[in-house]
Amino acid sequence: MANAYKNKKVDLTTTDLTILYTVPGETTAIIKSILVSEDATTGDSIDVVLVDASSATFNLFNNKVIASDTTVELLTAPLVVEEGETIKVRATTADRLHVVMSLLEMTRT
């Protein structure tokens, strides 16, 4: 089993649901942190969803408010995601939010 610490980043330049991270095959990931930074001095909100391997969608955060010029840690505990699952994010307004996720990938092979 191999372990790898990683981060994934996205600048939300649209209001489309955007893939932040997909768990690779033969891998389980532990997400330690999801930081969201607002840089437009106006505030915004973010949606974070988990899409499982069967394409079912689970809301993790719905319209979570991010105040102007702040950074918010969304997680209060680690989140385990399994092979084939995807974390997606969406901003209410384009060009205001940045997202950085820190995680540990544990590969079975």
Side-chain angles (χ1 to χ4, degrees):
M1 178 183 279
N3 293 339
Y5 292 95
K6 297 186 174 189
N7 69 48
K8 300 296 179 181
K9 302 167 280 293
V10 66
D11 180 359
L12 294 175
T13 58
T14 73
T15 58
D16 297 335
L17 201 54
T18 302
I19 294 172
L20 177 60
Y21 174 67
T22 301
V23 183
E26 307 232 349
T27 302
T28 298
I30 299 174
I31 300 171
K32 174 65 177 153
S33 174
I34 301 175
L35 293 170
V36 182
S37 173
E38 195 283 343
D39 66 356
T41 68
T42 54
D44 205 18
S45 61
I46 190 167
D47 298 332
V48 181
V49 299
L50 169 67
V51 181
D52 72 10
S54 68
S55 298
T57 299
F58 300 88
N59 290 324
L60 301 177
F61 296 92
N62 192 28
N63 289 319
K64 173 71 175 169
V65 174
I66 311 299
S68 67
D69 289 326
T70 63
T71 300
V72 175
E73 171 58 64
L74 297 182
L75 296 182
T76 58
L79 175 66
V80 176
V81 287
E82 299 177 346
E83 176 180 352
E85 294 184 331
T86 299
I87 301 290
K88 296 182 179 183
V89 293
R90 174 179 31 229
T92 300
T93 310
D95 295 319
R96 293 185 183 173
L97 299 178
H98 297 114
V99 182
V100 178
M101 178 190 317
S102 298
L103 61 112
L104 169 64
E105 284 185 349
M106 299 172 294
T107 306
R108 291 188 296 275
T109 55

